[in-house]
Amino acid sequence: MDWPDKIKIAQRNWIGRSEGAEVNFLIDCKPSDSLKFTPELAEKIKAGAKTNTIRLGAKNLAAGDVAELMSRDGNVVESFGYAKITNVQKMPLKKVPNNMPGHESYHDSGEKLADFRKFYGNDVTLDSIVTIYDFEYISPITVFTTRPDTIFGATYLVLAPEHPLARMLANDDTQAAVNAYIDEAVKKTEIDRTNDTKEKTGVFTGGYAINPANGEKMPIWVADYVLGGYGTGAVMGVPAHDERDFAFAEKFELPVVEVIERPEDDTSAEQCYHGEGILVNSGAFDGTRSEDAREQIVAWLEQEGVGCAKTTYKMRDWLISRQRYWGAPIPIVHCPIDGAVAVPEHDLPVLLPDVDDFAPRGDGKSVLAAQEDWVHTTCPKCGGSAMREADTMDGYACSSWYLLRYTDPHDDQCAWGTKQVNYWAPVDMYVGGDHATAHLLYVRFWTHVFRDLGLTEFAEPVKRLVYHGLIQAEDGRKMSKSLGNVVDPLDVIDQGYGADALRTFELFLGPITENSSWSSRGIAGVYRFLNRLWTLVQEYDESDKSAQVNVKKLDSLTHATIKKVTDDIYRLSFNTAIAALMEYVNDLYKLKTEGFSPAWRSALETLVQLVQPFAPHMAAELWKQLGHDSQLDFVDWPDFDDAKIMQDTMTIVVQVNGKVRAKLQVATSAGEDKIKQLALSDESVKRYVVGEPKKVIYVKNKLVSVVI
Ligand SMILES: [Zn+2]
C-alpha cells in the first residue's frame, strides 16, 4: 500500500493497535476447601447463576470473606474465580430449608440426608451441623499490558470505578470510602479523568492480588484514571517504569521496584525509565534484554496458565444513524412481534421517498418518520404490519463504498458485480487532503469486510494515496473565517487574474503533498508568465515568419521541455512542470530575437499543449488561433524524441601538480562540486592522486587543478 507514512501512523494510532499480553491476577484470599463444584455447576456460577452451597461441619469462612472457587472433575481441581461470602448460617441438617436456590431437589429431610450421605458417608445424621454459604461470584482480575517484561515490577493493581469487582473487593472497613469514591468518579467526564495534569485520585479497596510472576501481595486500588470502557478496565501499576503509575505510587506511598536497569548512557531526566534495558529483580529473567524478555515472559505465563499474548485495539462503536433526509435508508423494519428485522435482499435497496419538506422539525425525530405511507410497511418475517426504520445512514457509510459502484454503475441487482469490481478496482491512485482517520480509514474497514464476505478479491481499496497539502493564508496560518484571512478564489478571479492564473498559481505554490502559503505577489508573477506566453503566440501570428532560425536549438528546447513536463506530471510534481514551462518561455523569448520562422509553429503548439492542464481556457483559445478546429482536450499529448535533445557540454582540463592528466566532457549545467568529483574519479587522474589531495581548485568552465 503506497500511502504516506503520516496517514498510516495516524490511522494506526486511531485504532489504537497495541501488542502485549493479558495476565490474570489471583486475588489474595482465605484458604478454604469448602468451595469445590462440579465443572457443570462451575460453568453456571461463572455465567451468573445464583446458588449457595451447603457443607458438612462448621467451616471457617465468615461473611465478607473472599475465597477461591474450585471446580473438581475427578482428580483435576482448577480455580475458576472467587466467592465473596455474603451470608453464613450454621444449623443441623434437618433445619436446612427446602427449595433453596441451587438445591431445588430437596423436598424433605430424607432427600437431604440421602444426598449428604452420598458425599460424606453414612455417619451423617439429620443432627449433623452444616454450614450454608451465600456468595457472589468474582471473576479473576485480567489486565492488559504492553510491557509484560516489567511484570516483576508490578506492585499494585488499579481497577476502573466501573469494574464489577471494585465494590465487591471492599471489606467492612473500606466499603463506605470505596462506594463514595465510585459514586463520585462515574459522574466525571472521560477527559477529566484521563487529564494527566491533574493530581491522581484513588481509594484502596482493602483487597489484595498476587503477582503471578513473583507471588508478592499487591494492594488493589480503584482509581478514575483507569477507564471501564477500554480493555479490561484493570491495569497493573509498574511505578518504576511508567510516569503515571509513578505519580500514583508516590502519592499513595506504594512500593517502587525497578526491574529494568537504566542504561548508563541514558541521559533522560525522567524519574522513571521506560526504555529498553537489562532485567533486574526479575527472578529467572534477570540479565535478559527487555525486548527478548517480553516474549519469554509471555510464554512462561502461558505455560503457567495465567496469561497469553494479545493484540488489542482502542476502537469504539460508530453510531451511523442520522435524523436527516439525505442519507441511505437503514434497511431495517421494526415489527411488534419479531423486533428489528433486516429487509430481505430481494427488496433492496430501500429507496428514499419523494418528499416536499426536507427540513428537520426540531423534535429529534427523523424527517422520514413523518412520511406515513413510507414508514408503514409489512414485516418481512410474519407479514404483519410494521414500521420502517426512519433514521438514515451517516454520509461516511456511503463514502465507504461508492468508489466500488463506479466499476458497475448500471447493475440493478446488486451494488457491483465481483467480475467488474475485481477488473477495475482497487483504485490506482486517490488524491485527497482530508479525513485521514475518518473516510480514509472507514473505506479500508468496509473493504476488508467485503473481502471477507467474498464480494471483492482485495482488502485494500486504494493502492496509492496522495495526501495533498493545504493552501494556508498569506500570514502562514490556516485560512479561517474567524481570523479574517481567507482568500476567496472568486475575488482573485474578479481582480482580473482570471481562473487560469489562479489555477496555475495554486499548482505552482509548492510540492503537492506539502502545505504552502498564499502569496499575492506570487500570483502576479504567474499572471505575467501567462501574459508572456500569450504575447509570444500573438507576435508569431502577426510576424511574416521569414527569419532563418536555429531549428536544432528550437527542437532541442521543445523536446527537453516535453520530456520534463511529462515526467513531472506523472510524478504529480506540478510546480516543477510549471517552472519548466516558464524557463521554456524565457528561452523562446531569447530565440525570438532572431525572428520567427515556420519552424516555430510546432514549438508554440507544443507550448500550448503543455500549458493546457494548468491554464485550459487560454490554451483552448491559443490552439484555435494557431489554426486548429479540434478540441485541445482530445488531442494526443505530445511525444518527445531523446535524439533531438542536445546535451550542451564543455571541455574541462584536469591538472595534477600542474601537469595535464585528463580532459573531461561535462554538461554545461554541471556545478563545481559535480565537476570536481568527476575529475577526481577519472581513472587517469586517480593514477596520480594517492590519498587525500591537498587542494582542488576549480577555474570556472575551464580547469580543475589538483595539488598533492
Ligand atoms: Zn414480524
Side-chain angles (χ1 to χ4, degrees):
M1 213 173 68
D2 180 10
W3 284 38
D5 281 339
K6 65 171 181 181
I7 304 296
K8 288 197 273 192
I9 290 166
Q11 295 195 342
R12 206 174 301 139
N13 291 342
W14 191 89
I15 63 175
R17 185 177 201 274
S18 45
E19 278 175 26
E22 234 175 41
V23 184
N24 291 327
F25 282 78
L26 306 177
I27 294 171
D28 182 45
C29 58
K30 268 202 166 162
S32 168
D33 61 355
S34 306
L35 299 172
K36 297 199 180 84
F37 298 88
T38 61
E40 296 76 43
L41 199 47
E43 283 309 314
K44 281 186 190 161
I45 292 169
K46 275 202 268 184
K50 283 274 170 220
T51 182
N52 58 20
T53 182
I54 313 168
R55 303 288 143 166
L56 187 71
K59 298 294 184 182
N60 64 332
L61 298 174
D65 283 349
V66 173
E68 199 170 5
L69 289 168
M70 315 291 280
S71 74
R72 180 168 53 195
D73 191 3
N75 287 327
V76 183
V77 179
E78 270 177 357
S79 167
F80 71 91
Y82 301 88
K84 167 122 183 184
I85 308 296
T86 52
N87 192 33
V88 182
Q89 302 169 70
K90 293 188 170 75
M91 62 187 73
L93 181 57
K94 63 187 174 202
K95 289 270 179 76
V96 171
N98 297 326
N99 295 322
M100 284 192 309
H103 302 278
E104 289 84 357
S105 63
Y106 296 161
H107 293 103
D108 55 42
S109 296
E111 283 177 4
K112 276 175 238 169
L113 186 61
D115 195 31
F116 266 73
R117 285 188 166 164
K118 204 163 71 195
F119 283 103
Y120 296 105
N122 283 333
D123 293 346
V124 180
T125 70
L126 281 174
D127 289 317
S128 298
I129 296 296
V130 297
T131 307
I132 303 174
Y133 290 129
D134 293 319
F135 66 90
E136 281 182 80
Y137 172 70
I138 301 180
S139 59
I141 298 176
T142 304
V143 156
F144 174 77
T145 174
T146 55
R147 294 296 302 268
D149 49 318
T150 64
I151 191 165
F152 285 85
T155 55
Y156 63 95
L157 286 185
V158 183
L159 304 181
E162 295 85 355
H163 197 288
L165 295 189
R167 287 179 204 265
M168 281 165 96
L169 286 172
N171 55 38
D172 288 350
D173 295 336
T174 59
Q175 193 76 62
V178 168
N179 286 348
Y181 182 81
I182 294 173
D183 292 344
E184 249 342 276
V186 295
K187 286 185 211 152
K188 293 194 202 166
T189 67
E190 209 168 280
I191 293 166
D192 257 357
R193 284 172 56 173
T194 51
N195 184 344
D196 272 340
T197 62
K198 289 206 176 148
E199 197 168 339
K200 297 275 167 289
T201 63
V203 64
F204 175 47
T205 60
Y208 290 87
I210 304 292
N211 186 326
N214 55 16
E216 296 282 333
K217 261 173 90 166
M218 314 159 73
I220 303 171
W221 286 66
V222 178
D224 61 9
Y225 76 84
V226 179
L227 300 177
Y230 281 137
T232 61
V235 300
M236 64 182 204
V238 185
H241 304 290
D242 181 280
E243 220 64 61
R244 211 169 52 168
D245 294 348
F246 183 81
F248 192 81
E250 203 176 34
K251 174 156 183 201
F252 296 109
E253 297 178 346
L254 296 162
V256 179
V257 177
E258 188 188 44
V259 289
I260 293 173
E261 215 164 40
R262 190 189 285 260
E264 277 172 19
D265 57 358
D266 178 68
T267 52
S268 64
E270 283 137 343
Q271 266 166 313
C272 42
Y273 175 69
H274 28 71
E276 308 288 353
I278 306 285
L279 263 63
V280 292
N281 296 322
S282 298
F285 299 95
D286 278 356
T288 313
R289 294 264 334 151
S290 50
E291 300 95 320
D292 304 328
R294 273 202 273 287
E295 250 177 65
Q296 293 173 17
I297 287 179
V298 173
W300 174 61
L301 294 172
E302 245 168 67
Q303 204 181 351
E304 297 288 310
V306 291
C308 58
K310 176 115 184 178
T311 302
T312 63
Y313 299 89
K314 247 186 206 171
M315 284 201 286
R316 282 178 282 180
D317 290 342
W318 167 20
L319 179 75
I320 63 161
S321 63
R322 297 291 181 271
Q323 288 72 50
R324 55 184 173 230
Y325 173 84
W326 293 112
I330 296 170
I332 293 288
V333 166
H334 298 280
C335 167
I337 296 158
D338 300 301
V341 181
V343 174
E345 207 167 316
H346 60 260
D347 288 336
L348 295 178
V350 176
L351 297 176
L352 285 170
D354 288 327
V355 303
D356 297 324
D357 183 12
F358 305 100
R361 289 159 309 157
D363 57 2
K365 280 195 196 156
S366 168
V367 175
L368 291 178
Q371 302 301 311
E372 297 282 331
D373 289 353
W374 185 82
V375 167
H376 289 282
T377 184
T378 51
C379 169
K381 221 168 177 179
C382 68
S385 75
M387 307 271 274
R388 281 190 193 283
E389 170 60 53
D391 281 358
T392 54
M393 289 187 219
D394 180 5
Y396 283 128
C398 297
S399 66
S400 294
W401 70 273
Y402 75 93
L403 57 177
L404 301 178
R405 176 68 177 179
Y406 288 159
T407 66
D408 193 10
H410 303 297
D411 195 326
D412 60 4
Q413 294 304 305
C414 52
W416 62 78
T418 44
K419 213 179 98 194
Q420 288 87 337
V421 84
N422 290 324
Y423 176 78
W424 289 107
V427 171
D428 293 294
M429 180 164 71
Y430 184 121
V431 182
D434 206 352
H435 306 305
T437 55
H439 160 58
L440 286 173
L441 184 56
Y442 302 162
V443 70
R444 294 181 61 198
F445 284 150
W446 283 51
T447 312
H448 274 74
V449 173
F450 295 147
R451 195 270 317 264
D452 291 349
L453 293 172
L455 298 172
T456 64
E457 282 172 4
F458 48 88
E460 291 295 347
V462 174
K463 287 189 207 163
R464 180 177 172 209
L465 172 71
V466 175
Y467 199 72
H468 64 72
L470 292 177
I471 298 178
Q472 294 157 332
E474 195 140 15
D475 58 15
R477 292 185 293 182
K478 198 169 172 172
M479 287 192 197
S480 102
K481 273 187 188 153
S482 63
L483 292 171
N485 59 3
V486 174
V487 177
D488 184 341
L490 292 178
D491 290 344
V492 176
I493 292 168
D494 289 346
Q495 279 161 24
Y497 289 121
D500 280 345
L502 173 70
R503 179 174 164 133
T504 307
F505 179 57
E506 282 184 332
L507 295 168
F508 183 60
L509 268 171
I512 186 169
T513 54
E514 281 167 34
N515 292 347
S516 41
S517 295
W518 181 259
S519 155
S520 38
R521 289 238 309 268
I523 190 165
V526 165
Y527 180 71
R528 252 191 326 274
F529 152 65
L530 293 178
N531 262 322
R532 273 159 67 79
L533 195 159
W534 174 270
T535 307
L536 196 60
V537 177
Q538 305 314 309
E539 287 181 3
Y540 165 78
D541 203 25
E542 287 155 17
S543 73
D544 59 9
K545 306 167 186 69
S546 61
Q548 290 291 316
V549 301
N550 184 341
V551 177
K552 264 195 166 168
K553 173 101 184 159
L554 190 62
D555 276 354
S556 173
L557 276 177
T558 304
H559 284 262
T561 308
I562 299 172
K563 184 177 182 176
K564 167 87 176 136
V565 171
T566 305
D567 181 56
D568 285 352
I569 288 178
Y570 266 113
R571 295 184 299 114
L572 305 186
S573 182
F574 304 123
N575 57 324
T576 56
I578 293 164
L581 287 168
M582 289 173 167
E583 209 176 304
Y584 184 41
V585 167
N586 285 343
D587 287 337
L588 290 177
Y589 265 81
K590 280 180 211 154
L591 277 184
K592 188 191 76 168
T593 53
E594 297 168 12
F596 291 106
S597 77
W600 270 75
R601 164 171 291 276
S602 112
L604 291 175
E605 282 179 352
T606 302
L607 173 62
V608 168
Q609 281 186 282
L610 295 181
V611 84
Q612 194 249 0
F614 311 106
H617 305 95
M618 190 182 91
E621 197 83 28
L622 292 174
W623 187 248
K624 214 169 169 191
Q625 206 179 341
L626 286 166
H628 296 283
D629 288 331
S630 55
Q631 196 179 332
L632 185 49
D633 310 69
F634 300 112
V635 175
D636 283 349
W637 188 251
D639 277 327
F640 62 87
D641 181 354
D642 260 327
K644 290 193 172 165
I645 303 173
M646 291 192 297
Q647 268 294 355
D648 280 340
T649 60
M650 57 187 174
T651 305
I652 299 287
V653 173
V654 186
Q655 293 179 345
V656 179
N657 282 359
K659 285 194 177 139
V660 175
R661 297 299 182 191
K663 286 180 181 171
L664 305 175
Q665 290 298 314
V666 303
T668 46
S669 58
E672 177 171 343
D673 288 344
K674 177 79 188 163
I675 290 170
K676 281 181 177 173
Q677 184 206 329
L678 285 171
L680 290 172
S681 57
D682 185 272
E683 282 306 319
S684 43
V685 174
K686 268 159 76 179
R687 218 176 301 147
Y688 297 96
V689 182
V690 182
E692 275 297 300
K694 278 191 195 134
K695 248 190 215 170
V696 181
I697 300 153
Y698 173 60
V699 181
K700 200 172 178 205
N701 298 350
K702 287 197 174 77
L703 176 80
V704 174
S705 173
V706 184
V707 182
I708 54 170

